Amino acid sequence: MTTKNILLLAGDGIGPEVMAEAGRVIQWFSGRGDVEFDTSEALVGGCCYDAHDVAVTDETVERAKAADAVILGAVGGPKWDGVDFSVRPEAGLLRLRKDLELFANLRPAICFEALADASSLKREIVEGLDIMIVRELTGGLYFGEPRGITDLGNGQRRGINTQIYDTFEIERVAEVAFDLARKRSKRVTSVEKRNVMESGLLWNEEVSRVHKQSYSDVELDHMLADNCGMQLVRNPKQFDVIVTDNMFGDMLSDVASMLTGSLGMLPSASLGAADKAGKRLALYEPVHGSAPDIAGQGVANPIATILSFGMALRYSFDMAAEADLLDKAVQTALAEGCRTADIAVAGDKVLSTSEMGSAIISQLEALSA
Ligand code: IPM
Ligand code: MG
């Protein structure tokens, strides 16, 4: 039996509620095959700020580096609106991404057959959708210097953020996208704004170079980011893998989420470079936020967090069969009509967060019996 250490960072808002269900699923898988999962918990986000005046502690960052995988719930909420940027809840998540060098953020948008009618788009547009957004996660506007708000002294203030990309940052995330495409439909769309931004032009040129040098068996297209937003809602099935920068990836993945029925459905994996043994630092989290409006009510959809653990099975633990089983359990629960409020349509019986967790665990039992 090998033991894998998973650090659970539930965070704020609905984070602890959805994490509790992921925790039950982790326990279900623990010790079934030859892998045992040992979980521990720590604070991140607003709850950490309340306790320690920072959004994540040095100790937690070290524990995250040492863990075999980290699973995060969500951070933030109106309670911390006035808090300084450097210590606000989101800063905890950004520091984890940066300090662990998790440069490749994988955001799959899959439309489950049972949910095709829950999308804001027509069934025929989203049915069978399976795309992967690869978002650069440790560079660009989120981290570029100079940044800040300065007082110009004449009654005016100036807000500055800087979009910066170096060759190596574009190259390594492009490689992740091309490698993924090779295991899928072998098509990559690279997205930027080369028509107005030098960093977009560089992005375009570097992705083309990597393609030409090492991945000519994969089909590569380039698309401007505004057009990509439009194409995602017009004809999303034209895409296979989309690779884009930090800011565009943030926006386009929220758009893509609505194709799948709900933001409550989308998991993500944030991966670092592989070391000599092939091990990558990794953090898994739902794409959705802390949803303070519904926090504490037990109504949030835990599927995105549960599927995030599924991505950990696939990308950190090399347990593809178990990941497939979990995907299947979610799919079957949905097919049998299990719905949390966000994916329910009129007339559906609405399940609570923990009832959805139980429904998925029942399916795991049934499928593995
Ligand atoms: C996301 C979120 C984060 C981001 C926030 C919470 C900092 O929106 O992961 O998409 O902007 O990256
Ligand atoms: Mg976002």
Side-chain angles (χ1 to χ4, degrees):
M1 191 70 82
T2 47
T3 301
K4 298 288 185 189
N5 294 302
I6 306 182
L7 178 63
L8 304 178
L9 303 172
D12 308 316
I14 59 170
E17 297 162 52
V18 293
M19 187 63 87
E21 301 314 308
R24 290 171 67 198
V25 171
I26 295 170
Q27 284 322 313
W28 189 88
F29 276 98
S30 183
R32 244 159 219 276
D34 45 14
V35 178
E36 210 164 45
F37 296 113
D38 189 359
T39 58
S40 61
E41 295 170 20
L43 298 177
V44 69
C47 57
C48 186
Y49 175 79
D50 289 345
H52 303 292
D53 292 324
V54 286
V56 65
T57 62
D58 295 346
E59 192 219 330
T60 299
V61 172
E62 290 314 310
R63 280 172 64 191
K65 285 183 184 165
D68 292 304
V70 181
I71 303 187
L72 186 138
V75 295
K79 180 177 174 196
W80 301 282
D81 272 352
V83 173
D84 187 76
F85 247 90
S86 60
V87 287
R88 58 188 299 146
E90 290 78 4
L93 175 56
L94 296 180
R95 176 165 173 208
L96 282 166
R97 290 173 178 172
K98 193 72 177 172
D99 284 12
L100 273 63
E101 266 199 86
L102 307 173
F103 63 87
N105 181 216
L106 278 44
R107 299 191 157 186
I110 294 170
C111 181
F112 288 91
E113 165 59 30
L115 289 188
D117 293 315
S119 171
S120 49
L121 299 188
K122 295 191 199 88
R123 169 177 275 275
E124 58 270 28
I125 307 269
V126 296
E127 207 168 27
L129 179 81
D130 179 357
I131 60 184
M132 176 71 89
I133 297 184
V134 180
R135 168 188 178 194
E136 197 293 323
L137 202 62
T138 50
L141 270 177
Y142 274 59
F143 296 98
E145 301 277 349
R147 64 181 297 157
I149 299 180
T150 52
D151 197 330
L152 299 179
N154 56 355
Q156 296 288 306
R157 295 190 302 154
R158 178 173 292 160
I160 304 176
N161 291 93
T162 306
Q163 168 86 336
I164 302 188
Y165 274 106
D166 289 355
T167 298
F168 79 97
E169 297 177 282
I170 303 169
E171 194 172 65
R172 63 185 180 180
V173 76
E175 285 168 357
V176 169
F178 286 126
D179 284 336
L180 279 168
R182 274 191 176 149
K183 297 187 191 141
R184 302 168 48 98
S185 311
K186 292 192 160 196
R187 283 185 296 118
V188 170
T189 307
S190 169
V191 173
E192 29 60 17
K193 282 283 285 179
R194 65 184 177 281
N195 53 345
V196 285
M197 297 164 78
E198 284 79 0
S199 60
L201 183 60
L202 185 78
W203 183 281
N204 177 288
E205 290 176 357
E206 295 299 337
V207 172
S208 298
R209 182 182 53 76
V210 171
H211 175 245
K212 197 163 164 224
Q213 273 171 5
S214 320
Y215 295 94
S216 47
D217 55 310
V218 177
E219 198 185 308
L220 171 66
D221 287 320
H222 299 278
M223 197 177 269
L224 297 176
D226 50 349
N227 185 28
C228 183
M230 191 267 275
Q231 295 296 339
L232 272 173
V233 291
R234 193 184 75 90
N235 175 20
K237 283 187 262 181
Q238 71 185 282
F239 296 109
D240 180 24
V241 175
I242 292 175
V243 62
T244 190
D245 75 13
N246 205 344
M247 179 62 100
F248 293 140
D250 182 40
M251 297 191 291
L252 295 172
S253 58
D254 266 30
V255 174
S257 74
M258 279 320 289
L259 308 171
T260 70
S262 163
L263 195 49
M265 296 295 301
L266 256 71
S268 81
S270 305
L271 308 175
D275 66 13
K276 284 195 197 78
K279 191 191 163 202
R280 292 172 183 271
L281 290 184
L283 180 147
Y284 299 87
E285 55 172 319
V287 171
H288 65 69
S290 61
D293 52 322
I294 56 163
Q297 301 171 23
V299 299
N301 185 349
I303 292 179
T305 312
I306 289 173
L307 290 176
S308 295
F309 170 62
M311 291 188 83
L313 288 171
R314 205 178 289 285
Y315 293 103
S316 282
F317 306 137
D318 210 8
M319 295 170 72
E322 287 80 358
D324 289 344
L325 174 69
L326 180 52
D327 286 349
K328 182 90 191 150
V330 170
Q331 199 182 319
T332 318
L334 292 169
E336 292 193 352
C338 296
R339 297 285 186 277
T340 41
D342 57 313
I343 49 176
V345 292
D348 281 346
K349 175 177 181 297
V350 173
L351 300 187
S352 68
T353 308
S354 63
E355 285 169 338
M356 182 59 104
S358 302
I360 292 167
I361 288 170
S362 306
Q363 293 300 338
L364 285 170
E365 293 286 351
L367 289 165
S368 60

